Amino acid sequence: MRGISFKFGKVIVNVDGSIVNIEIPDDMSIKNFESKYLESLKKKYSKFIFKISGPKNLICTNKGNLKILNNKTEMIGSKTSTISTLVKIRKEFFKENIKYELFFNNFHNPTGFKAEYISNTEIEFELYEKYILNGFFVNNQRELKDYEKSMKYIPTYFKINKIKKVKDSDIEIYNKFDEHDIKRTPLTCFSKFSKGFLDSSKIELMINEKKISNCCFTDRNTNLWVENQNFNQPLALEFWVENDICPDDKNIYSMSLFVNKEDSYIRYYDDAIKVNEGVRAVNEMITNSSKYKDEPLFKLSEVLKYKKLGYFKLGSFNRDGFIYKNLYNGDYHILNRYCDEIDFYGIEPFDNLYYLIYEREDCSYKKLEFINRRIFKLAKLRNKKVVFSENAVIGYESEREIIKNYHISKYIKDNELKDKKDIEKISCNFPKNRISYIRSLDEAWLELNNQGFSDEEVLEILINEKEIFESFIYKKSITVIPETLLTSKSDKVKEEVKIFCLKRVVEIYGKNPPAEVMQRLKEELTIIFKNNYEVLFLLSAILAKRTYDRGFMTGGRGTAGNLLVTYLLKVSDINPLDYNLDYRMFFGPNMEKVPDLDINVPKEIIKDVVAELIESYKNGLIKASVNNFMKEDGLKSMVFSKVPGITEKIDIDYATNMLEGLYQRTQPHNSGVLILPGVIDTNYIFPTIEYNNERIPAYDYHKLDKVLIKLDILSKNHLDTIKTLNEVTDIEKINYNDENVLNMINELKTDGIPEMNTDNMKKIISIVKPKNFDDLVRIQGLAHGKGVFRNNADILISKGEKYISSREDLLELLVEYKVENSFMIMEKIRKGNYNKLTQEESQELNKLPEIWQQSISKIQYLFPKAHALSYAKTSYLIALYIRYQNSIEKKRNQVKSDKVTDSIDNIIENYGAC
């Protein structure tokens, strides 16, 4: 809702939310104002709160009887008065330091107390807050007795009189409350993953503070469904829907669904895996959806089809909902046709609806009240449950100012506003009352009373919340993503991978390769085929071939270089047999690790080769997704810095901490593709969404790493330089211990050499003083590990001792000292889990000299040697090119004409070193 300002005669009126601000000119008398203006404004803004400023700083409201008395204003609460109304007035009086009397009577106060109070001091105001105000929230007979006991502690200048006993009907209502042990269970809340600002991971703290039993997130996407949090609730989703069944209905509606289907099993090759048909149905609707307001738009026919199968239940909870919109518009034929399909009806707080008064000429406060009353009656007629649906985006009313300024700041940023007048206009006209918060039991009760619902009706509405919530199947009992690694099994692909490898073995080793080569290949292929990883390796090989066909080389990352298979497939440029690399580093000690295969592709061709790969295997591949979230620094610099004087309005540190982690969007991963299982519907795993005309998973790839295999295709710089080298010589035969290149590196002339040009790397080089290629590999391990170099390896180097730079170094050391279970111990230490070693494992480490025990205890992360090797080779080749650039370019020009390559030594000898 946008606030409005206008001039009414000589009076200036500003309407913001439920507050009417009126400014009276100095030359106007109060009598003149009341007779000419006040009554007219009361009719237009029935039951709004009026704040009047003028010569006497008077405050008044049309919810009670106003009397102007010289220097004192008297306010008498009427039957329609509420605590919130009177408290707002009281606070305004106190702020202006006006002496006043307030008589509270005949409002929602089952205790029947009457309070008289006169105040003009801050001390009395605080005591009033502490003792009197709390007394009006008495929910049952027990609390009434506790309140009576507290009377003797109230200061003498409060006059409290008990004027009547609690009615029997009131006691019955509150005994019923006790009987049901009622606490609020809000069903319509929105987390940071959707259009809200609630942090689902911290919701339990707010639940305790608010004294509510639980709450349900009805986000506009399903990202929260896959969050690994202990918070347990139904799986719910708010969505847009179009009526494709009835051509006359052109409306777009908002609906909410609650998955209510138990898990079942489907066949996966020779096994059975647990899935949920309700989740699959929702995923399918998201996948098939179009867009409305940049969010999924479902078809009503599809929604009702799955509802009839018992997959979920439906709710209409807001002003855009099916029930509210058709009641408001008077489309009773449409309402009558489909209202029975809606299981739960919602009544919103008036703060959520006030904007309709300004946006629609046919709307008034009375109409809003009328519609909410009709929703309640319709639910009764149709035997449906009605709930209080605040559609909360924040937890507390006090947070409204933060969210208001967040929206203003974002609007200024997105629209690039710079004019101060435009910014001030936006700031003044943004109504924070529309920002809905989670109501406590008392706040919800009060709101519904204000809307005209009796205590009996309020109790029914609030009991419905709890009963509906408890009727659902909760998240912990629903399989959102299968808990099984799903691969694409193919005997044909296995044969292709095997032939691919054997051809390369013959190319490298001849027709009679060494027995150790064949044994290693057999062991690795057995593991790959047994776990159905063959598609991953074939796709990697195809990608590598397409890169080589363009004249470039590829390179593996991580532990991919530990495999002979990746070397034979040209995915990696590291032969593990040359460096004694253990394939368990890749597969895990018990072959339990999901393959994490990364491949480097030159940045010049990566888009083309990835697009070709996906197009060729589009039914078996899909780009991985990443979620983007708002960070604290971004909030401070890009958002909250836009509003002038914002630091005076909100606590920026509190606001940024509250909003950090706010979901922004899901977009394609820069380099990752997911391999899809071909035998089951992927909607059992994830829905897809549209991004720039392509479908991508709705979930971040981290949420799928236990169920799908990902191939990372990473963009790598400087591979064009290596391509140049490859054009003039056989890189496989290059000498990696060239004295001139090593001297250049030791002289720290490493600018332009990747992985050697940082200040940290130069410091490591200056201490290690590399004498050969093995030292260059160690340098990479030291630079990319944590807790490895500083105050660890640097001390050992200064003493002339051996040092640990990689996982393989550590394993070699443990084996050398005959440490039992050495591989498992290495696995823990390389992840920084030294303190999590068992007693037996710690005792095994006592076999090591003290100097090694101390070094090991400092390790936080160890780099894989295969990755260090890949970095070292790339860096060395770039260094070689820089050192002999003139000679290499001269030979390159010759090669272009006669297509003859040469050894690097001959090139240097024939063309001279530079």
Side-chain angles (χ1 to χ4, degrees):
M1 174 190 70
R2 297 181 58 191
I4 59 171
S5 297
F6 59 90
K7 195 167 184 180
F8 184 37
K10 294 183 177 181
V11 174
I12 297 174
V13 181
N14 177 271
V15 183
D16 186 3
S18 58
I19 307 293
V20 179
N21 299 285
I22 306 172
E23 185 177 338
I24 306 173
D26 291 345
D27 58 350
M28 180 179 290
S29 67
I30 297 298
K31 184 176 181 180
N32 188 17
F33 166 70
E34 285 187 304
S35 61
K36 287 188 176 182
Y37 300 100
L38 185 58
E39 292 303 319
S40 297
L41 290 169
K42 278 185 180 181
K43 290 178 182 178
K44 181 171 180 61
Y45 301 104
S46 173
K47 296 187 179 180
F48 276 51
I49 295 174
F50 283 54
K51 179 181 176 181
I52 306 170
S53 59
K56 297 184 180 180
N57 291 320
L58 295 174
I59 316 318
C60 70
T61 176
N62 58 319
K63 287 195 174 184
N65 302 317
L66 175 69
K67 293 183 180 179
I68 308 298
L69 309 171
N70 295 331
N71 294 322
K72 185 171 73 173
T73 302
E74 184 180 274
M75 173 69 200
I76 302 175
S78 68
K79 290 184 178 181
T80 59
S81 298
T82 66
I83 292 170
S84 60
T85 303
L86 298 171
V87 168
K88 285 176 184 176
I89 298 167
R90 171 176 57 76
K91 287 182 177 178
E92 291 297 332
F93 275 124
F94 180 76
K95 187 167 69 177
E96 300 295 340
N97 200 26
I98 298 175
K99 206 169 185 179
Y100 63 96
E101 289 183 354
L102 293 178
F103 298 88
F104 298 81
N105 195 11
N106 295 326
F107 55 98
H108 176 60
N109 175 18
T111 62
F113 289 117
K114 178 181 179 182
E116 298 178 7
Y117 175 56
I118 299 177
S119 171
N120 64 356
T121 69
E122 189 171 351
I123 295 175
E124 291 175 359
F125 178 83
E126 290 176 355
L127 290 169
Y128 181 84
E129 288 269 289
K130 184 175 181 181
Y131 293 107
I132 302 298
L133 185 58
N134 290 341
F136 289 110
F137 295 96
V138 179
N139 294 327
N140 52 44
Q141 191 73 5
R142 184 190 69 253
E143 291 186 16
L144 175 59
K145 290 179 181 178
D146 291 342
Y147 181 77
E148 289 176 320
K149 290 178 184 177
S150 70
M151 293 301 219
K152 59 184 178 181
Y153 301 110
I154 298 177
T156 55
Y157 43 79
F158 292 111
K159 183 181 177 184
I160 309 293
N161 297 312
K162 185 174 179 181
I163 58 174
K164 61 178 181 179
K165 292 184 178 180
V166 180
K167 293 180 182 178
D168 292 339
S169 60
D170 288 336
I171 295 173
E172 184 180 341
I173 289 172
Y174 289 101
N175 284 342
K176 191 175 182 182
F177 228 109
D178 286 342
E179 176 188 335
H180 287 271
D181 186 27
I182 286 296
K183 285 186 177 180
R184 276 217 67 206
T185 312
L187 293 177
T188 52
C189 302
F190 297 90
S191 79
K192 288 182 178 181
F193 281 97
S194 184
K195 64 181 183 182
F197 304 89
L198 290 165
D199 191 333
S200 56
S201 65
K202 299 176 183 176
I203 201 71
E204 290 184 1
L205 177 62
M206 194 205 67
I207 284 173
N208 294 330
E209 290 178 353
K210 284 277 186 178
K211 296 182 180 178
I212 58 179
S213 62
N214 214 320
C215 72
C216 183
F217 288 102
T218 49
D219 284 357
R220 283 201 173 272
N221 63 52
T222 56
N223 270 286
L224 190 61
W225 291 14
V226 296
E227 284 300 296
N228 297 319
Q229 295 168 351
N230 294 326
F231 187 61
N232 198 22
Q233 58 162 255
L235 295 184
L237 174 72
E238 187 178 274
F239 57 92
W240 297 107
V241 62
E242 59 181 339
N243 190 348
D244 60 323
I245 302 173
C246 180
D248 296 337
D249 189 1
K250 304 300 182 183
N251 288 312
I252 301 293
Y253 300 105
S254 171
M255 282 190 187
S256 298
L257 63 80
F258 301 84
V259 175
N260 209 38
K261 181 71 175 175
E262 293 183 349
D263 284 351
S264 56
Y265 288 86
I266 61 169
R267 181 165 295 282
Y268 169 66
Y269 294 119
D270 296 328
D271 298 322
I273 60 170
K274 188 188 290 187
V275 296
N276 190 281
E277 292 294 341
V279 171
R280 186 204 61 78
V282 174
N283 289 349
E284 183 180 286
M285 289 192 295
I286 294 173
T287 297
N288 295 337
S289 67
S290 53
K291 277 192 174 183
Y292 177 71
K293 294 185 177 180
D294 206 33
E295 293 169 343
L297 174 65
F298 297 171
K299 294 187 181 299
L300 184 61
S301 59
E302 199 171 10
V303 173
L304 296 183
K305 176 183 74 173
Y306 288 125
K307 181 186 182 296
K308 287 176 182 177
L309 292 172
Y311 291 170
F312 45 71
K313 293 189 176 182
L314 297 175
S316 176
F317 294 124
N318 58 48
R319 54 207 173 275
D320 290 316
F322 182 86
I323 301 299
Y324 196 98
K325 187 171 279 190
N326 283 305
L327 276 174
Y328 190 99
N329 295 333
D331 293 329
Y332 299 114
H333 65 293
I334 296 175
L335 182 69
N336 187 60
R337 183 173 178 180
Y338 299 108
C339 66
D340 286 336
E341 302 290 354
I342 310 297
D343 301 288
F344 317 119
Y345 299 178
I347 293 174
E348 283 195 276
F350 280 148
D351 274 357
N352 294 24
L353 303 170
Y354 276 138
Y355 82 100
L356 291 172
I357 294 174
Y358 309 109
E359 292 187 356
R360 303 188 62 156
E361 293 182 358
D362 62 342
C363 187
S364 65
Y365 181 90
K366 288 183 178 179
K367 182 161 187 175
L368 297 180
E369 195 175 51
F370 171 78
I371 296 297
N372 277 0
R373 170 56 61 177
R374 291 298 297 270
I375 291 173
F376 185 82
K377 288 184 177 179
L378 181 64
K380 287 282 192 182
L381 288 172
R382 298 290 186 174
N383 196 29
K384 303 291 183 180
K385 289 185 180 294
V386 63
V387 300
F388 179 59
S389 54
E390 60 258 74
N391 296 295
V393 296
I394 54 176
Y396 305 92
E397 186 177 11
S398 60
E399 294 172 339
R400 278 176 160 175
E401 189 68 29
I402 292 173
I403 305 306
K404 171 186 172 181
N405 280 280
Y406 168 78
H407 283 306
I408 292 170
S409 300
K410 198 167 183 304
Y411 183 87
I412 293 169
K413 175 180 173 291
D414 293 346
N415 293 275
E416 298 181 351
L417 297 184
K418 295 181 180 179
D419 188 277
K420 288 185 177 180
K421 290 183 179 180
D422 291 338
I423 293 173
E424 288 176 2
K425 185 178 179 181
I426 293 296
S427 301
C428 292
N429 290 339
F430 193 96
K432 66 181 181 183
N433 284 14
R434 270 187 70 188
I435 301 168
S436 191
Y437 61 97
I438 293 179
R439 267 72 168 180
S440 65
L441 178 65
D442 296 327
E443 290 168 326
W445 193 292
L446 192 59
E447 170 67 29
L448 290 166
N449 273 167
N450 285 347
Q451 294 191 20
F453 292 100
S454 68
D455 286 340
E456 291 88 347
E457 291 169 334
V458 173
L459 181 64
E460 178 186 337
I461 291 169
L462 298 181
I463 288 175
N464 283 345
E465 284 183 342
K466 182 182 178 184
E467 290 180 348
I468 290 170
F469 189 94
E470 291 178 349
S471 71
F472 292 128
I473 302 172
Y474 293 174
K475 175 181 171 181
K476 287 183 179 178
S477 301
I478 294 177
T479 299
V480 182
I481 298 176
E483 297 176 356
T484 304
L485 180 64
L486 303 175
T487 58
S488 186
K489 182 179 179 181
S490 171
D491 291 337
K492 180 181 177 182
V493 172
K494 288 175 182 175
E495 190 64 24
E496 286 186 64
V497 171
K498 184 178 178 181
I499 292 171
F500 221 130
C501 290
L502 290 174
K503 283 183 178 180
R504 277 278 288 160
V505 167
V506 173
E507 285 179 24
I508 298 168
Y509 298 103
K511 294 182 179 179
N512 297 304
E516 64 173 7
V517 172
M518 298 308 295
Q519 180 60 31
R520 175 69 174 256
L521 178 60
K522 180 181 178 182
E523 290 175 7
E524 290 185 12
L525 288 178
T526 299
I527 297 167
I528 291 169
F529 295 163
K530 180 181 178 181
N531 291 283
N532 300 322
Y533 299 154
E534 60 271 10
V535 172
L536 170 67
F537 286 88
L538 180 63
L539 291 173
S540 302
I542 292 170
L543 190 65
K545 184 178 184 304
R546 289 179 176 175
T547 303
Y548 273 86
D549 288 346
R550 286 171 166 85
F552 291 92
M553 294 180 65
T554 59
R557 292 169 59 93
T559 55
N562 286 68
L563 298 187
L564 178 61
V565 168
T566 57
Y567 176 66
L568 297 176
L569 297 176
K570 291 191 174 183
V571 173
S572 166
D573 57 350
I574 306 298
N575 186 339
L577 299 179
D578 292 344
Y579 299 96
N580 194 27
L581 300 179
D582 192 329
Y583 61 69
R584 289 182 298 172
M585 294 288 185
F586 181 85
F587 290 120
N590 299 310
M591 313 304 131
E592 79 286 357
K593 287 171 66 175
V594 176
D596 183 13
L597 188 55
D598 302 341
I599 182 170
N600 288 329
V601 175
K603 66 176 183 179
E604 294 87 348
I605 63 169
I606 188 168
K607 285 186 178 180
D608 292 338
V609 295
V610 171
E612 288 174 11
L613 190 70
I614 292 176
E615 180 62 28
S616 300
Y617 299 91
K618 55 187 173 184
N619 294 327
L621 291 176
I622 189 170
K623 276 191 178 179
S625 301
V626 290
N627 286 341
N628 287 332
F629 300 95
M630 188 71 78
K631 296 181 179 178
E632 185 174 349
D633 291 342
L635 283 163
K636 286 183 178 179
S637 62
M638 298 176 63
V639 181
F640 285 130
S641 62
K642 305 297 179 183
V643 179
I646 194 169
T647 54
E648 299 173 4
K649 300 175 183 178
I650 62 173
D651 182 332
I652 297 296
D653 289 335
Y654 177 89
T656 52
N657 182 61
M658 170 187 168
L659 299 180
E660 187 177 21
L662 198 63
Y663 172 80
Q664 298 297 290
R665 62 189 169 276
T666 299
Q667 65 186 46
H669 190 286
N670 288 333
S671 58
V673 293
L674 298 172
I675 300 175
L676 302 175
V679 293
I680 66 171
D681 184 354
T682 55
N683 286 307
Y684 282 114
I685 310 168
F686 57 78
T688 63
I689 57 175
E690 185 178 309
Y691 188 94
N692 287 347
N693 300 318
E694 67 175 328
R695 305 298 297 189
I696 60 172
Y699 300 147
D700 187 281
Y701 74 95
H702 290 101
K703 306 302 177 185
L704 302 170
D705 58 7
K706 297 288 192 300
V707 63
L708 294 177
I709 296 175
K710 179 168 69 76
L711 171 62
D712 273 324
I713 308 164
L714 305 167
S715 176
K716 185 70 174 176
N717 294 326
H718 305 290
L719 292 183
D720 55 339
T721 303
I722 298 175
K723 178 187 177 187
T724 300
L725 278 174
N726 204 35
E727 289 173 355
V728 299
T729 188
D730 184 352
I731 286 181
E732 295 292 328
K733 297 178 181 178
I734 279 180
N735 173 21
Y736 281 87
N737 289 299
D738 184 278
E739 186 177 343
N740 290 327
V741 174
L742 290 170
N743 287 339
M744 184 180 75
I745 292 171
N746 275 304
E747 291 168 5
L748 303 182
K749 297 178 180 178
T750 56
D751 292 341
I753 302 176
E755 309 300 338
M756 284 190 182
N757 55 355
T758 65
D759 291 340
N760 181 53
M761 180 58 86
K762 288 179 180 180
K763 183 176 181 180
I764 295 173
I765 292 171
S766 67
I767 292 175
V768 174
K769 297 180 175 59
K771 300 177 181 62
N772 49 47
F773 181 72
D774 286 344
D775 285 343
L776 297 181
V777 176
R778 288 176 173 275
I779 284 170
Q780 294 297 333
L782 293 175
H784 291 89
K786 290 183 180 179
V788 179
F789 177 70
R790 186 173 296 178
N791 296 321
N792 196 340
D794 57 349
I795 297 172
L796 295 172
I797 292 169
S798 67
K799 294 179 179 180
E801 296 284 351
K802 213 166 49 167
Y803 56 90
I804 297 169
S805 67
S806 67
R807 300 171 192 179
E808 279 76 5
D809 286 350
L810 176 57
L811 182 60
E812 183 182 314
L813 180 70
L814 297 177
V815 172
E816 179 185 344
Y817 284 89
K818 299 180 180 179
V819 172
E820 292 186 13
N821 204 16
S822 57
F823 195 94
M824 293 300 295
I825 292 175
M826 179 278 299
E827 279 287 286
K828 287 186 179 181
I829 293 172
R830 63 104 171 168
K831 297 176 183 177
N833 293 329
Y834 176 85
N835 293 329
K836 294 182 181 180
L837 293 172
T838 65
Q839 186 176 355
E840 293 78 7
E841 289 169 338
S842 297
Q843 287 175 350
E844 282 296 311
L845 288 183
N846 290 334
K847 295 177 181 179
L848 301 178
E850 179 66 24
I851 190 172
W852 295 113
Q853 293 184 45
Q854 290 181 8
S855 177
I856 287 171
S857 68
K858 298 175 183 177
I859 293 171
Q860 299 173 39
Y861 169 74
L862 273 176
F863 205 52
K865 187 174 182 179
H867 203 159
L869 276 161
S870 183
Y871 276 165
K873 285 188 73 173
T874 300
S875 299
Y876 182 87
L877 291 173
I878 302 298
L880 180 73
Y881 175 83
I882 292 173
R883 181 64 182 81
Y884 299 115
Q885 184 172 0
N886 287 347
S887 299
I888 292 169
E889 288 298 334
K890 286 178 182 178
K891 180 62 180 177
R892 185 186 186 195
N893 293 331
Q894 180 187 351
V895 168
K896 286 180 180 178
S897 60
D898 58 24
K899 308 296 182 184
V900 177
T901 62
D902 204 346
S903 72
I904 194 69
D905 292 333
N906 287 341
I907 292 171
I908 296 167
E909 183 180 345
N910 293 333
Y911 293 94
C914 57

